[in-house]
Amino acid sequence: MNSLILNAATRILVALMLLFSVFMLLRGHNEPGGGFIGGLVAAIGLTLYAIGHGTREARRALRADPRAIAMVGLALAILAAVLAVIGGDPFFTGQWLFIGGGEGEKGLPISSVLLFDIGVYLVVIGSVLAIVFALEDEV
Amino acid sequence: MEVALALIVGLLVACSIYLMLSRNVLRFIFGLVLLSNSANLTIFTAGRLTRAEPPLVPSGLPFPTELVANALPQALILTAIVIGFGLFAFSLSLVFRAYRELGTLDSDAMRLAEPRPGGEAETEGRDAEQPEAPRSAAS
Amino acid sequence: MSWLLVAPIMLPIIVAILVFLVREKGGWGRWLSVVGCVLHLAVSIALLLEVWKQGVIAAQMGGWPAPFGITLVADLFGAVMVLIAAITGLAVAVYALADIDRRRELLGYHALFQCLLTGVCGAFLTGDLFNLYVWFEVMVIASFGLLVLGGDKEQLDGGVKYVTLNLISTVLFLAAIGMLYGVTGTLNMADLHTAVGEVENQGVVVMIAVLFMIAFGIKSAVFPLFFWLPAAYHTPPVAVSAVFAGLLTKVGVYALIRVFTLIFTQDVDYTHGILLAVAAFTMLTGVLGAAAQTEFRKILSFHIISQIGYMVLGLALYTPLALIGAVFYLVHHIIVKANLFLVSGVARRMTGSESLSLSGGLYAASPLLAILFFIPAFSLAGFPPLSGFWAKYLLVKASLDVGHYVIAAVALVTGILTVFSMTKIWAAVFWKPHPETNGSGLVRLPRQEWLSLVLPIGFLAGLTLIIGFFPEPFYVFAERAANQLLDPSAYVAAVTGADS
């Protein structure tokens, strides 16, 4: 689509939406949000970019093949599931690490749940964009 | 409320069956999307409609204090929506590609994989009805 | 031992990821796929041995207790299905080395193939209905991709029909799950086993049962719902349609057997009565449809339908012997059917056509291939002492035992007509001289291509012979699997009881 307004606006909007999507991803830890919705927001942002600048430009901006992004995300999610077995628990049990935690201090919690969520985030971005690009290319 | 939702589900199913009876594959796909939405609504209704809080544990407490809504049907629906979205995107692009390659959206005219016993037939055999397809695709 | 349950699902998906990421690096992908299948086979054998020793095993994902979390279960029936899937997967992966062209490899054939195996194994091992739906979808999406991969006109045409009709089945399945959840409040299959009996209004349960029957009926291509199968199965490359023919419809049959032995057993007369009629019509229409076809793979496609009828018959009779027959039949059938499709691919390569009238002379060109066709073809028709004979014998005896003489007659007639179709292929493709070259100038395949095409065929034919000549251990096995199906208490105890 060749529209100056859209072109100019998407540059700012894409950055904002990508930022917001990371915020959603991390917020999902304890409140509504998470990898799925974050991934959707990011995918919408990049889709907007693809509409404004064309898929070729969007693919270039993305650098990686969207399907490869989805695959890497899937691998991360599986890794999160397998980490539990290494810790001696059933598959998919959350593994927690409290960095700097001590007496009464919770510290910074890092968990395999977060890793799983990041995996979901990437899978959603990758697969949605793969579909969108394929449809855009075809029509 | 359940009654209203049940009626809506019935209406949606009726519409979708009407669409699915069409020979035009595109309409069939639209009917299918309606049908899958009505299936999602069925799950939603089957999960009981209650006025309750979102199922979140408040900070610092081991369990929610008020009556919370049943989260399972919503999780099921979310999964079903995602799967449905993927399938819809796939079938849409498949139908589009088939339309470009075979030159028709009329399911009766798609005889390439199963030629009529008489012989040639196939898609070319229905030239007279050919203009039908693109027009109904556009509408 | 929870990793044994997870491995058959995780392994193919990990292989799929790796294969996809290296797909542009020459031949790495296909060999990775083969290695993955070998590992998968090893894991499946380990799983089966474990289940044989310990009885039903279950694992709760994330440590959530049974009716609430995601459960994986393996009883003997599920474990043997995983093993058969792994065997078929390995055979097809080797076959694909020669059968799949570079273009389709780049489009991601191997990754989709491994995803398909993931979905199939997930469906065999899952312990709750919604996850069964999800695994079905994984399988179905991968199969959509495989079916239209490459985008030939024929494939697109077949693909449209396959996709649309399978989507209907998906939606019906989903609606049925929703309603079942509405009346029972649970979706864990072991939990449903008891919960369904406690529902006050049993009429609703029967209605839901029939909805499940239709949904799985479309997937498994039984009588009034099979039209998508002969429209699509002959269009993709052989390495795709062989795995479809072997596994996909059988996942539908597996789901039918699982659901109608574990959950819906309240009104057996009604539900299984419908299944009995469906089985009879499926056998007959399938075999009659095949008689009217004149192409190798189309004939085989219709025979899938008629063979599904036998398996549904085993479920419909619902006696111990009949279920033994059904389990035996499934195992025998998947091997034989996948093998026949593989043979059809070699035949097309050598004669240049799939049409019976345009091919011929294969017996003179390659007696080995002729024998390798003969074994599965006549096993399919039920010639003693091949594996199909024992499977059919069990089912016919089971129906005579309960006095269903008509259905026994239908099964036997179907067998005879199957012989007719198989001899038709034999006479046209192998026996008669080639119409153009007069039997002398068939295409000679290069040695390496020939090896990777014929090795899997020989492997599967060998298995058919082993089942045929030594049916005793397989019978004992099927008996134990059928007993677990008929008396699900061990299954229920493994899922809801002590967390393993």
Side-chain angles (χ1 to χ4, degrees), chain A residues 65-78 81-82 84-85 89-94, chain C residues 2-3 6-7 10 13-14 16-17 20-21 23-24 60-63 106-108 111 115 499-500:
Chain A
D65 179 0
R67 289 178 300 171
I69 294 180
M71 286 293 176
V72 170
L74 197 58
L76 283 183
I78 291 176
V82 176
V85 179
D89 291 321
F91 269 84
F92 286 105
T93 314
Chain C
S2 80
W3 69 270
V6 181
M10 282 295 182
I13 194 80
I14 291 171
I17 295 169
F20 185 84
L21 293 178
R23 73 191 185 287
E24 272 155 24
Q60 318 293 348
M61 296 299 96
L106 281 177
L107 286 169
C115 283
D499 195 325
S500 58

Side-chain angles (χ1 to χ4, degrees), chain C residues 392-416:
Chain C
K392 284 201 170 66
Y393 172 77
L394 287 173
L395 286 174
V396 171
K397 180 157 190 320
S399 35
L400 290 178
D401 279 354
V402 285
H404 283 294
Y405 299 110
V406 177
I407 200 111
V410 168
L412 289 172
V413 167
T414 306
I416 294 169

Side-chain angles (χ1 to χ4, degrees), chain A residues 23-47:
Chain A
F23 168 71
M24 283 304 265
L25 164 68
L26 296 177
R27 182 187 142 96
H29 209 55
N30 282 325
E31 280 169 277
F36 183 77
I37 188 77
L40 275 184
V41 172
I44 291 170
L46 289 162
T47 306

